[in-house]
Amino acid sequence: MSEINILGEAYKNAKYKATGHGPRNVQVLKDALMEIDEELESEMYGKGKVIDDFQEKMAKYLGKESSVFFPSGTMAQQIALRIWCDQKGIKKVAYHPLSHLEIHEEDGLKKLHHIQTILLADKERVIELEDVMGLDEEISCLLIELPQREIGGQLPDYKTLEDISAYCKQKGIKLHLDGARLFEILQYYQKSAAEICSLFDSVYVSFYKGIGGIAGAILAGDKTFTVESKIWKRRHGGDLISLYPYILSADYYFEQRVGKMSQYYQEAKEFARCFNQCHGVSTKPLEPVSNMFHVHFEAPKEEMEVILAAIYEETGIGLTSYVREVTQTTSYYEVSIGDLYSQIPKEDLRKVFLLLDEKMKTIKIL
Amino acid sequence: MSEINILGEAYKNAKYKATGHGPRNVQVLKDALMEIDEELESEMYGKGKVIDDFQEKMAKYLGKESSVFFPSGTMAQQIALRIWCDQKGIKKVAYHPLSHLEIHEEDGLKKLHHIQTILLADKERVIELEDVMGLDEEISCLLIELPQREIGGQLPDYKTLEDISAYCKQKGIKLHLDGARLFEILQYYQKSAAEICSLFDSVYVSFYKGIGGIAGAILAGDKTFTVESKIWKRRHGGDLISLYPYILSADYYFEQRVGKMSQYYQEAKEFARCFNQCHGVSTKPLEPVSNMFHVHFEAPKEEMEVILAAIYEETGIGLTSYVREVTQTTSYYEVSIGDLYSQIPKEDLRKVFLLLDEKMKTIKIL
């Protein structure tokens, strides 16, 4: 534990940070509320101007008939899959082995909705058309996460998406988009959100990843689907009397940052190139397709913590507050480029990579 | 619909309002955040100072080993019942026919948790010891709501609570408190929250009823129970990255108002007496036991809307924005006394009741 603290402390003390938009503190909420008229009334249990306006705006942005604001993506996505399963009468869905639903939700989908899951593709790559065509059981819904976060944020070809969409339509399989980071990939595909969403029957997007809001999600689809999702939202305990603190901040940071996603993407590519020039360091994917990627070190977690902490102290630049073990001799961390990256003086950043390269060369294990 | 608007509009335009703490608008959140240090860090998925401190504070206040902050009571209570059912291996619970879980949650308990419910007592009265003793099926948990909101906020004798608690303990039935309005009844029972909660295995309290926060709930019990409730909170999609907007406002308004509950209670009794002196008007309960009660009119909803709107216009005092139909010739609305009641000039309030009494006498149907 003490090593964790070394890195965490060094990161905290660093003058510049290479990842994210800044601390997740109360200022984030205060900024979002600053210009809001204090007499603006709360919505009441999902009804009212604040929530209606935002739902309408996001439905339009995503090119869907209707949308519903949820406190979390966990809730929104379980509900989407439940609706599609109930509609078809088959409680079976397919998704990637590292889907958020499979590894981060304490099996809510199985424990609350009794939905069976089929894991497609292997852990190291995205789902391809062949995986879907190779399914030998009938499913109600296929969930595709764009980008696939747990493998560094990877994407299939757009053609693959189109083919999967056409195949699912033909086979009567509903296609759901886990778009937690949808805003972040538009630049790579050179498509609008609505164009991508048109390939899917239902779509979830998040407002606290690249957008940097407080919490909250939107689930979009046709009207019949969203009306049913509101009933499930109440069943889950997500139909709060007031969700406006999340809605107002989602809207505020959406306006602030949705136009900056291509900047973050360009910066992520530049940043990844620097890592890939260092001895014993590589990124996944090699060239990012969004604002995110993973940095893999050919060195054990404990050793990397010491190396990185020393670099932060020397340069004043913090890269990450943690490193995770992959094997006994390798480790990684996740990068999400946000507002902070562009504040780092280029010269200081160069020094970071000179030091990193140098220190990695001294590691015996390599 | 036009009659609803008449009353709603008249209420909106009234200078004084007899119920609640004021509009549920963004000012409520801004006030709560005013004194909060903007550098205070958000908790992260249920962990961190903001949430830890409040959970500890509420556990202590409720006299329980541990407590967990939830976005909603709907989520917290379903989870409590699920845990008790799983522990005993019997998916059956009992509660009042007008329990929130039975009538306001789209059957989440049944649809998500597959828990069967047994309805105790009839719709017009609270659960008594005999109802519990008369159960002819084995249950895992009995839920008692204090006060029973849908019948005007009624309470059993304290002795009854103690007897039910002892009986449940003896029979191996877990006792859960729906304490959405627990703060509001301490004065009537002349007990501390911890004393009342000691009769129950698990307890839920809300922060947007008498306390007047934005949203949010606490679920309290022993440590094993709350640890398990956190796993279910994640499954439900309630383990948000940041719940602090609700936590900070819950804490702020708890401090502001928990000490004013006895004032609200006294005012409710005074207010109810005035109604009961009017022709064709009575309150349920006749003498309130908390800050809430129901006002019943021996007149149809539509007629009452016209009468009340006229009174608001003449006196500048709004009583309610709605009236609900009971039968074709009777109607009612709910009173919750908060900060606004004491702002009404007594003389103007007297005029309200003179007018109400007068107008009720003219109704032909009586």
Side-chain angles (χ1 to χ4, degrees), chain A residues 15-83:
Chain A
K15 185 176 172 193
Y16 298 103
K17 270 117 186 161
T19 200
H21 299 302
R24 294 186 56 87
N25 60 24
V26 174
Q27 187 66 52
V28 175
L29 179 56
K30 288 195 179 190
D31 285 349
L33 296 176
M34 192 86 78
E35 302 286 311
I36 304 288
D37 179 3
E38 53 271 9
E39 292 189 13
L40 178 66
E41 291 274 341
S42 172
E43 88 283 11
M44 293 288 280
Y45 299 108
K47 291 189 184 106
K49 188 170 164 48
V50 171
I51 194 164
D52 291 346
D53 285 358
F54 190 63
Q55 288 175 167
E56 205 173 300
K57 176 178 176 171
M58 291 313 302
K60 202 169 163 193
Y61 178 84
L62 299 170
K64 292 295 180 194
E65 194 182 357
S66 177
S67 95
V68 181
F69 192 87
F70 277 83
S72 74
T74 296
M75 194 183 293
Q77 296 207 107
Q78 284 181 27
I79 287 172
L81 298 189
R82 174 64 182 260
I83 291 171

Side-chain angles (χ1 to χ4, degrees), chain A residues 69-107:
Chain A
F69 192 87
F70 277 83
S72 74
T74 296
M75 194 183 293
Q77 296 207 107
Q78 284 181 27
I79 287 172
L81 298 189
R82 174 64 182 260
I83 291 171
W84 296 137
C85 282
D86 282 355
Q87 194 182 91
K88 193 166 180 175
I90 293 173
K91 287 206 146 189
K92 215 175 280 181
V93 299
Y95 52 49
H96 192 272
L98 297 179
S99 167
H100 195 274
L101 290 100
E102 191 66 16
I103 64 175
H104 290 307
E105 303 182 4
E106 295 280 359
D107 276 342

Side-chain angles (χ1 to χ4, degrees), chain A residues 197-211:
Chain A
C197 292
S198 72
L199 303 175
F200 295 84
D201 297 289
S202 54
V203 174
Y204 140 72
V205 291
S206 171
F207 295 95
Y208 68 92
K209 278 87 184 190
I211 298 294

Side-chain angles (χ1 to χ4, degrees), chain B residues 54-103:
Chain B
F54 189 63
Q55 288 175 167
E56 206 173 299
K57 176 177 175 171
M58 291 313 302
K60 202 170 164 192
Y61 178 85
L62 299 169
K64 293 294 180 196
E65 194 182 357
S66 177
S67 94
V68 181
F69 192 87
F70 277 82
S72 74
T74 296
M75 194 184 292
Q77 296 207 105
Q78 284 182 26
I79 287 172
L81 298 187
R82 173 64 182 260
I83 292 171
W84 296 137
C85 283
D86 281 355
Q87 193 181 91
K88 193 165 181 175
I90 293 173
K91 288 207 145 189
K92 215 176 277 181
V93 300
Y95 52 48
H96 193 271
L98 298 178
S99 166
H100 195 274
L101 290 98
E102 191 65 17
I103 65 175

Side-chain angles (χ1 to χ4, degrees), chain A residues 24 72 106 235 237 242 246, chain B residues 24 42 72 106 235 237 242 246:
Chain A
R24 294 186 56 87
S72 74
E106 295 280 359
R235 288 177 181 147
S242 299
Y246 300 137
Chain B
R24 294 186 55 86
S42 171
S72 74
E106 295 280 1
R235 287 176 181 148
S242 298
Y246 300 136

Side-chain angles (χ1 to χ4, degrees), chain A residues 46-332:
Chain A
K47 291 189 184 106
K49 188 170 164 48
V50 171
I51 194 164
D52 291 346
D53 285 358
F54 190 63
Q55 288 175 167
E56 205 173 300
K57 176 178 176 171
M58 291 313 302
K60 202 169 163 193
Y61 178 84
L62 299 170
K64 292 295 180 194
E65 194 182 357
S66 177
S67 95
V68 181
F69 192 87
F70 277 83
S72 74
T74 296
M75 194 183 293
Q77 296 207 107
Q78 284 181 27
I79 287 172
L81 298 189
R82 174 64 182 260
I83 291 171
W84 296 137
C85 282
D86 282 355
Q87 194 182 91
K88 193 166 180 175
I90 293 173
K91 287 206 146 189
K92 215 175 280 181
V93 299
Y95 52 49
H96 192 272
L98 297 179
S99 167
H100 195 274
L101 290 100
E102 191 66 16
I103 64 175
H104 290 307
E105 303 182 4
E106 295 280 359
D107 276 342
L109 188 71
K110 296 162 196 172
K111 302 271 184 183
L112 286 171
H113 295 284
H114 305 276
I115 291 174
Q116 275 181 269
T117 61
I118 295 169
L119 306 180
L120 283 188
D122 67 49
K123 287 187 181 185
E124 294 301 315
R125 61 168 180 86
V126 298
I127 295 172
E128 300 290 346
L129 177 62
E130 292 66 38
D131 300 310
V132 187
M133 291 177 71
L135 269 168
D136 52 10
E137 292 176 85
E138 210 176 349
I139 58 169
S140 293
C141 181
L142 169 64
L143 176 148
I144 291 191
E145 182 185 348
L146 300 179
Q148 197 70 51
R149 186 248 179 124
E150 296 291 343
I151 47 174
Q154 298 183 38
L155 287 176
D157 294 339
Y158 197 73
K159 175 73 168 58
T160 299
L161 281 185
E162 290 176 315
D163 290 348
I164 290 177
S165 174
Y167 179 82
C168 285
K169 198 155 285 168
Q170 183 203 324
K171 292 286 178 184
I173 298 168
K174 294 292 180 184
L175 194 57
H176 172 79
L177 171 57
D178 178 342
R181 291 164 184 80
L182 175 66
F183 308 117
E184 292 86 328
I185 60 163
L186 305 182
Q187 176 77 7
Y188 174 77
Y189 278 142
Q190 290 286 305
K191 301 282 176 191
S192 70
E195 284 173 306
I196 297 174
C197 292
S198 72
L199 303 175
F200 295 84
D201 297 289
S202 54
V203 174
Y204 140 72
V205 291
S206 171
F207 295 95
Y208 68 92
K209 278 87 184 190
I211 298 294
I214 314 288
I218 277 279
L219 182 65
D222 65 29
K223 186 91 183 162
T224 327
F225 170 82
T226 58
V227 165
E228 205 175 338
S229 81
K230 286 184 190 177
I231 299 172
W232 282 107
K233 180 179 163 188
R234 172 152 291 222
R235 288 177 181 147
H236 264 254
D239 190 18
L240 308 193
I241 185 167
S242 299
L243 283 165
Y244 74 79
Y246 300 137
I247 298 168
L248 294 173
S249 47
D251 195 21
Y252 178 80
Y253 291 107
F254 176 80
E255 289 300 329
Q256 295 252 313
R257 296 194 177 120
V258 77
K260 292 170 90 178
M261 292 294 163
S262 63
Q263 175 201 321
Y264 302 153
Y265 168 52
Q266 296 305 328
E267 289 168 344
K269 286 195 286 188
E270 170 192 289
F271 199 35
R273 271 195 300 275
C274 297
F275 279 109
N276 286 311
Q277 280 160 16
C278 292
H279 191 80
V281 184
S282 61
T283 68
K284 189 192 277 184
L286 209 59
E287 180 168 296
V289 294
S290 71
N291 73 324
M292 77 164 290
F293 59 88
H294 287 180
V295 181
H296 283 260
F297 302 107
E298 289 175 30
K301 165 183 152 71
E302 291 71 22
E303 197 144 2
M304 282 316 303
E305 286 166 350
V306 176
I307 289 175
L308 291 172
I311 294 175
Y312 303 174
E313 270 159 44
E314 200 165 334
T315 61
I317 298 174
L319 298 177
T320 175
S321 61
Y322 71 89
V323 174
R324 288 202 191 106
E325 183 176 300
V326 181
T327 67
Q328 281 200 329
T329 58
T330 59
S331 55
Y332 89 103

